[in-house]
C-alpha cells in the first residue's frame, strides 16, 4: 500500500503561520510556518502548505508578520534563589536603593510587619552600586531590626550580611574561625562586622527555619512565570541544593510530577550534596527523572566573584595589586573531584571567574585524557577572564563554556576602572576568540544576579556596551545569529540535548517563542527592546503578551 493521503493524516495540534521562522538549523533555514503534534514539530515550510494541514481543533498562531525562534535555553540560572528573591520581604537591590540607609529603611518596614524573633530576608544588595561604596554591616541593620534576625544576600550570592541577632543565633563570635573557602569579616577589635564571605555566607543558614518542599516549590513557580514571560523554555539550574539543600530536589520532583512546572529543567546538583564524593566514590546519576526534569550534572564552585574581589586572578586586582582572590577548593582537591565524577558518569560544571581558577579547572579536565569518543561535555561556568592560551587548551581538551555575557553591561565599567584595568576588562567573556577556536558555548544571565531577558544577553554579545554606554572589547563581539545560537542550540549542546531542542526542525520539541520583530533584521541597538509576544512549550501556548491564538483556519 502507498502512503496515506495528506488529508488522512492526523491534524496538527498547533500551526504557526504568517511571519518569519528562524529555524537555527545547521543551514540557517528560514521559513514562514510550522506545524506540531504530540509536543513535537512535524513540519516546517510555507504558509499555504502548513495552513492546509490544520483541522477544526488545531490551535493557530497567526504571526501577523512577527518572528518565531526556538525557545530560549538559559544555560546558567538559579531558579530557587530567583524565586526566593522575588518573594523576599526586602528588596535590597540598586535600584531602588541608593544608599545603605535606604536598605535599612526597608528592613525597618519589614520589622514592623513581622513578629518579634522572626527572620527577615533580603536579596540583591550590591556594594559597588551603593553611594556608600561598601557592604552593609550589623551596625547598619541593628537599629532597624532590634527584635528580628536579618540576613541580606549579595546580588552575586557570594556574600551575605547578618545583623547581631542573626550572628548570635548561629553562634558567630570573635572566636569563630573562618571556614574553609570563606571568611568572616572583622573590625579592628576582631569582632564580626556581619559580612560573611563565600562559604561563610552559608553559616547563618543553619540557624534559619528549614525550608520545606512547599516553600521552595512556591519559589520555583514564581521563577517559572518569569521565565515564560521572557521566552525561556529550558533552564540549566547550576546548583540544585545550594539554597535549600535536598528539599530543593524534592520540590522539583513534586512540581514536575504534578505538571505544575512548565519550564524544562536540566539540573546540576551542588557537589556537597552528592553522597560519596568527598570520599572519592560518588554515587552515579539516577536515570529515573520525571518528564521535564533531568539531573545528570554536578556543580562545583572553584572561586568567587570578580566584583567581590574573591575571583582568583593570576595577577592582582587593579584596585588592590596584592589581592588575588581565593580558591574555594585546592587545585588538587578540585582535580580529584572532577576525576571521580567523570568516572561515575556525571557531567561536571565548574564555576570559574578568575584566570587562576580557570587554569585549575582546565588542569582538572585535562588530566582525564583525550575527550574523543568519551561523550564528555564538561563545562566552565562564567569563564569570565579566560586568556587566549586558556582558550587554546579548552579547545584542545573539548571543554565547553557558559559565558556570563551580561557582565559586560552590568559590571563592565567597574571591571575596567576598578577591578581588572582596561586590558583585562576588554577580554571578559571572550566570545569571538572562543568561537574562532570552535569552542562550544552558551550564554547566560545567572539570574537573579542579573535580570532574565535573553534578548538583553543577545544584545550584550553583539553590542559589547557597558551601562555607561561605552564599548568594552568590541573585537570580542559576535554576530546576531551566533548570539541567538548561544541562547538556543548551542546552549542545548551544553546539556547534550541538541538533538532534542534548540532549533526548529521536524522531530524536535515544539518549544518556540514569538518575537515582535526579527532580531537579525533590526538595528542591533534595538535587539534588547524587542518583546516576547508568546511562549510555546511542547506545542502548547503557555504564555501570551496579547491574545494571538485563534480557533482555527477559515
Amino acid at each position: 500500500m502507498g502512503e496515506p493521503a495528506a488529508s488522512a493524516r492526523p491534524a496538527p495540534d498547533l500551526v504557526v503561520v504568517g511571519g518569519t521562522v528562524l529555524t537555527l538549523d545547521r543551514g540557517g533555514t528560514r521559513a514562514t510556518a510550522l506545524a506540531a503534534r504530540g509536543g513535537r514539530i512535524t513540519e516546517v515550510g510555507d504558509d499555504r502548505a502548513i495552513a492546509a494541514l490544520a483541522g477544526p481543533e488545531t490551535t493557530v498562531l497567526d504571526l501577523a508578520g512577527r518572528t518565531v525562534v526556538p525557545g530560549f535555553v538559559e544555560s546558567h540560572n538559579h531558579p530557587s534563589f530567583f524565586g526566593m528573591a522575588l518573594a523576599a520581604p526586602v528588596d535590597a537591590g540598586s535600584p531602588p536603593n541608593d544608599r545603605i540607609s535606604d536598605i535599612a529603611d526597608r528592613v525597618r518596614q519589614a520589622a514592623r510587619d513581622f513578629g518579634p524573633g522572626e527572620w527577615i530576608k533580603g536579596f540583591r544588595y550590591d556594594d559597588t552600586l551603593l553611594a556608600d561604596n561598601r557592604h552593609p554591616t550589623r551596625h547598619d541593620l541593628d537599629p532597624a531590626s532590634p527584635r528580628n534576625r536579618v540576613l541580606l544576600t549579595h546580588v552575586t550570592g557570594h556574600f551575605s550580611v547578618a545583623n547581631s541577632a542573626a550572628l548570635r543565633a548561629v553562634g558567630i563570635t570573635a572566636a569563630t574561625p573562618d571556614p574553609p573557602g570563606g571568611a568572616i569579616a572583622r573590625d579592628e577589635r576582631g569582632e564580626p562586622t556581619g559580612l560573611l564571605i563565600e562559604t561563610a555566607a552559608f553559616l547563618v543558614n543553619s540557624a534559619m527555619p528549614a525550608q520545606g518542599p512547599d516553600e521552595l516549590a512556591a519559589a520555583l513557580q514564581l521563577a517559572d512565570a518569569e521565565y515564560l514571560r521572557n521566552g525561556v523554555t529550558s533552564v540549566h539550574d547550576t546548583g540544585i541544593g545550594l539554597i535549600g539543600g535536598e528539599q530543593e530536589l524534592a520540590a522539583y520532583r513534586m512540581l514536575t510530577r504534578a505538571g505544575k512546572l512548565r519550564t524544562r529543567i536540566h539540573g546540576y546538583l551542588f557537589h556537597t550534596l552528592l553522597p560519596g564524593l568527598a570520599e572519592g566514590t560518588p554515587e552515579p546519576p539516577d536515570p529515573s527523572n520525571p518528564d521535564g526534569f533531568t539531573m545528570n550534572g554536578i556543580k562545583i564552585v572553584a572561586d568567587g566573584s570578580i566584583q567581590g574581589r574573591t575571583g582568583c586572578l593570576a595577577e592582582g586586582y587593579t584596585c588592590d595589586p596584592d589581592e588575588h582572590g581565593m580558591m574555594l577548593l585546592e587545585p588538587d582537591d578540585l582535580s580529584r573531584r572532577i576525576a571521580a565524577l567523570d568516572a561515575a558518569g556525571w557531567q561536571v560544571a565548574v564555576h570559574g571567574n578568575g584566570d587562576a581558577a580557570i587554569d585549575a579547572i582546565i588542569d582538572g579536565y585535562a588530566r582525564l585524557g583525550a575527550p574523543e569518543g568519551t561523550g564528555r561535555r564538561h563545562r566552565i561556568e562564567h569563564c569570565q577572564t579566560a586568556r587566549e592560551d586558556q582558550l587554546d587548551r579548552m579547545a584542545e581538551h573539548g571543554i565547553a563554556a557558559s559565558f556570563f555575557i551580561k557582565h559586560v553591561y552590568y559590571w563592565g565599567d567597574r571591571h575596567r576602572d576598578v577591578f581588572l584595568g582596561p586590558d583585562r576588562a576588554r577580554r571578559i567573556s571572550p566570545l569571538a576568540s572562543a568561537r574562532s577556536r570552535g569552542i562550544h558555548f552558551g550564554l547566560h544571565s545567572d539570574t537573579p544576579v542579573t535580570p532574565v531577558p535573553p534578548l538583553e544577553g543577545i544584545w550584550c554579545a553583539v553590542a559589547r556596551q557597558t551601562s555607561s554606554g561605552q564599548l568594552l572589547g568590541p573585537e570580542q563581539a559576535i554576530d546576531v545569529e551566533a548570539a541567538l545560537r548561544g541562547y538556543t542550540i548551542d546552549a542545548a549542546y551544553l546539556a547534550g540535548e541538541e538533538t532534542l531542542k534548540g532549533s526548529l526542525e521536524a522531530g524536535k520539541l515544539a518549544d518556540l517563542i514569538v518575537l515582535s520583530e526579527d532580531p537579525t533584521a533590526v538595528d542591533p541597538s534595538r535587539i534588547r527592546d524587542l518583546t516576547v509576544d508568546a511562549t510555546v512549550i511542547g506545542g502548547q501556548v503557555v504564555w501570551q503578551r496579547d491574545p494571538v491564538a485563534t480557533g482555527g483556519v477559515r
Side-chain angles (χ1 to χ4, degrees):
M1 297 178 63
E3 291 292 322
S7 59
R9 287 185 294 174
D13 302 319
L14 173 73
V15 157
V16 180
V17 294
T20 300
V21 177
L22 301 182
T23 67
L24 297 183
D25 63 8
R26 288 190 177 185
T29 303
R30 288 173 175 254
T32 62
L34 62 78
R37 181 174 177 81
R40 303 268 180 160
I41 296 169
T42 55
E43 307 202 38
V44 177
D46 61 53
D47 286 352
R48 183 175 180 179
I50 299 298
L53 302 174
E57 302 301 320
T58 301
T59 296
V60 177
L61 283 177
D62 183 358
L63 296 177
R66 290 172 291 190
T67 297
V68 163
V69 299
F72 291 133
V73 179
E74 230 307 342
S75 62
H76 185 116
N77 250 227
H78 302 284
S80 296
F81 186 15
F82 180 28
M84 291 171 63
L86 291 171
V90 175
D91 180 356
S94 298
N97 303 289
D98 296 322
R99 297 179 176 275
I100 291 173
S101 59
D102 297 332
I103 299 174
D105 286 344
R106 291 174 181 270
V107 171
R108 184 175 290 106
Q109 181 57 54
R112 295 190 189 106
D113 299 335
F114 281 60
E118 290 190 57
W119 283 88
I120 296 173
K121 293 183 285 187
F123 292 88
R124 298 197 317 114
Y125 89 85
D126 186 346
D127 56 300
T128 69
L129 286 179
L130 293 167
D132 313 77
N133 196 30
R134 64 174 176 85
H135 294 272
T137 70
R138 62 186 175 93
H139 302 296
D140 298 308
L141 301 178
D142 286 351
S145 54
R147 301 185 302 166
N148 296 87
R149 303 161 182 176
V150 178
L151 184 68
L152 303 180
T153 300
H154 193 266
V155 65
T156 65
H158 288 264
F159 308 87
S160 63
V161 176
N163 71 348
S164 295
L167 293 175
R168 285 194 298 271
V170 76
I172 294 177
T173 68
T176 304
D178 290 341
I184 299 168
R186 305 169 196 271
D187 61 22
E188 64 278 359
R189 297 173 299 169
E191 294 292 332
T193 68
L195 175 62
L196 305 171
I197 303 167
E198 297 299 342
T199 57
F202 298 103
L203 291 175
V204 178
N205 289 344
S206 63
M208 298 180 73
Q211 296 170 305
D214 289 341
E215 181 181 357
L216 290 165
L220 288 172
Q221 287 182 288
L222 286 175
D224 182 55
E226 285 299 300
Y227 289 135
L228 298 184
R229 191 169 67 85
N230 288 285
V232 176
T233 57
S234 291
V235 174
H236 298 181
D237 185 336
T238 45
I240 292 178
L242 185 61
I243 299 296
E246 293 180 358
Q247 297 301 320
E248 231 175 287
L249 185 56
Y252 264 131
R253 295 194 182 279
M254 179 176 71
L255 285 174
T256 51
R257 287 187 174 123
K260 294 182 177 180
L261 196 65
R262 296 160 295 177
T263 311
R264 302 183 195 275
I265 301 294
H266 190 89
Y268 294 78
L269 185 69
F270 195 61
H271 68 109
T272 60
L273 296 179
L274 181 63
L277 178 57
E279 295 76 31
T281 55
E283 291 185 357
D286 180 359
S288 59
N289 294 310
D291 184 47
F293 178 88
T294 58
M295 192 182 74
N296 54 20
I298 297 294
K299 166 72 174 297
I300 299 175
V301 179
D303 71 340
S305 74
I306 301 297
Q307 51 269 43
R309 290 192 288 175
T310 53
C312 194
L313 296 171
E315 298 180 14
Y317 282 81
T318 298
C319 55
D320 186 357
D322 293 329
E323 176 62 71
H324 289 256
M326 62 172 64
M327 289 291 293
L328 305 192
L329 288 173
E330 291 299 320
D332 285 346
D333 188 19
L334 175 62
S335 290
R336 182 180 63 81
R337 289 172 185 254
I338 287 172
L341 291 168
D342 179 76
W346 290 96
Q347 183 191 20
V348 186
V350 186
H351 161 123
N353 271 314
D355 60 334
I358 293 170
D359 269 332
I361 298 167
I362 295 172
D363 286 345
Y365 289 150
R367 291 175 187 175
L368 300 176
E372 288 79 8
T374 64
R376 292 192 197 113
R377 293 195 183 173
H378 298 324
R379 307 166 39 162
I380 300 179
E381 304 303 300
H382 308 321
C383 206
Q384 188 177 168
T385 59
R387 306 183 308 263
E388 294 290 306
D389 63 295
Q390 291 176 322
L391 294 173
D392 287 338
R393 294 186 68 204
M394 289 174 66
E396 177 187 357
H397 296 289
I399 302 168
S402 180
F403 286 110
F404 190 174
I405 187 57
K406 293 191 182 185
H407 262 123
V408 173
Y409 178 74
Y410 284 96
W411 283 284
D413 291 317
R414 283 163 284 165
H415 282 356
R416 181 193 61 234
D417 301 336
V418 179
F419 304 122
L420 298 174
D423 291 337
R424 285 185 294 179
R426 71 183 298 120
R427 283 194 47 76
I428 63 171
S429 298
L431 303 188
S433 289
R435 190 168 182 237
S436 71
R437 290 164 169 81
I439 294 171
H440 290 281
F441 63 81
L443 304 174
H444 70 257
S445 65
D446 201 18
T447 303
V449 178
T450 65
V452 173
L455 285 166
E456 180 182 63
I458 291 165
W459 171 81
C460 287
V462 173
R464 297 285 300 195
Q465 184 174 307
T466 70
S467 58
S468 70
Q470 299 184 54
L471 294 180
L472 186 69
E475 66 277 3
Q476 291 297 342
I478 56 176
D479 61 54
V480 177
E481 184 169 328
L484 274 168
R485 290 177 179 276
Y487 266 106
T488 55
I489 187 66
D490 292 344
Y493 177 92
L494 264 59
E497 296 179 328
E498 74 278 9
T499 61
L500 185 67
K501 62 179 69 166
S503 61
L504 302 178
E505 302 177 71
K508 286 194 170 185
L509 292 170
D511 295 354
L512 52 97
I513 58 176
V514 179
L515 299 180
S516 56
E517 297 179 71
D518 180 350
T520 68
V522 302
D523 188 296
S525 65
R526 294 184 51 230
I527 291 173
R528 64 173 171 171
D529 298 323
L530 304 183
T531 60
V532 175
D533 289 345
T535 300
V536 175
I537 296 181
Q540 301 293 314
V541 179
V542 293
W543 183 86
Q544 300 176 71
R545 180 175 302 278
D546 295 305
V548 293
T550 63
V553 176
R554 296 291 185 266

